[in-house]
Amino acid sequence: IYHQAPLVQPSTQEASDLLFYCTVVHDFIHEHHTTEETVYFPAIEAASGIVGLMSNNVEQHRQLEKGLDAFRKYADEIAASAYSSDVLRRLIDDLAAPLETHLHEEIPTILDLHQKIDSKTMQRIYGKMHDEAERISDKFKYIYPPLQFLVLAICLCALAY
């Protein structure tokens, strides 16, 4: 999105498409965080017996919400004729630091779980999260049918960076 934003001109189909894509990316990240918070993290805390073990990750999700909500609001409310790559990139810039922190800190937190939870239990927990994520991702297939595979692939790549 960040790279493509300045290449898109206002009052074009590309502006409409990019704004729509921004809503898809927002929804994907929101659903990912929701699944972690309602399925994955509670199961990890229950298996480890450590209440609040994943609270730092949840707090980081809260820190991202304001920026994600502003990003979604812009994509929802701005007309293609008023599209501004500067505004869109500024919204992404505002998300960059908390998102980078979250992505860097969540990985070691999850990797360190092997010291608290046995592998078989972690596989079972991950399986539950995977099943829920797949169930939720079905809505992306039905809500955004022309983009179903492309959107999912791009979102996963974007989250990897």
Side-chain angles (χ1 to χ4, degrees):
I1 295 170
Y2 197 86
H3 174 74
Q4 293 297 323
L7 304 175
V8 173
Q9 299 301 311
S11 300
T12 63
Q13 184 61 47
E14 287 80 13
S16 293
D17 292 346
L18 183 60
L19 291 167
F20 173 72
Y21 181 68
C22 289
T23 67
V24 174
V25 169
H26 169 276
D27 291 354
F28 187 85
I29 293 170
H30 174 76
E31 293 299 341
H32 171 77
H33 288 170
T34 299
T35 301
E36 284 183 329
E37 292 176 22
T38 60
V39 177
Y40 194 51
F41 296 166
I44 286 171
E45 291 183 1
S48 71
I50 304 171
V51 176
L53 177 62
M54 304 305 288
S55 62
N56 188 50
N57 297 48
V58 173
E59 177 56 34
Q60 289 173 351
H61 290 174
R62 297 293 87 72
Q63 292 170 6
L64 285 165
E65 281 178 3
K66 182 179 178 184
L68 285 168
D69 289 347
F71 176 76
R72 173 64 191 245
K73 183 176 181 184
Y74 179 78
D76 276 340
E77 295 179 2
I78 199 71
S81 59
Y83 166 77
S84 166
S85 63
D86 291 338
V87 171
L88 184 56
R89 291 181 95 188
R90 190 167 39 253
L91 290 166
I92 294 170
D93 286 338
D94 290 346
L95 277 168
L99 182 59
E100 182 178 9
T101 297
H102 175 61
L103 293 175
H104 284 286
E105 291 182 7
E106 188 171 55
I107 293 168
T109 300
I110 292 170
L111 290 175
D112 288 346
L113 292 173
H114 77 277
Q115 298 169 358
K116 299 166 181 69
I117 304 171
D118 66 87
S119 293
K120 217 168 216 18
T121 301
M122 278 305 301
Q123 288 174 343
R124 184 177 43 76
I125 291 169
Y126 177 78
K128 285 181 182 180
M129 186 184 94
H130 178 271
D131 292 347
E132 179 64 6
E134 187 153 318
R135 184 188 70 75
I136 289 171
S137 73
D138 281 348
K139 84 177 187 181
F140 290 96
K141 296 173 192 171
Y142 301 117
I143 294 173
Y144 316 115
L147 304 171
Q148 60 185 326
F149 298 109
L150 178 63
V151 167
L152 191 55
I154 292 171
C155 287
L156 291 173
C157 289
L159 289 175
Y161 289 97

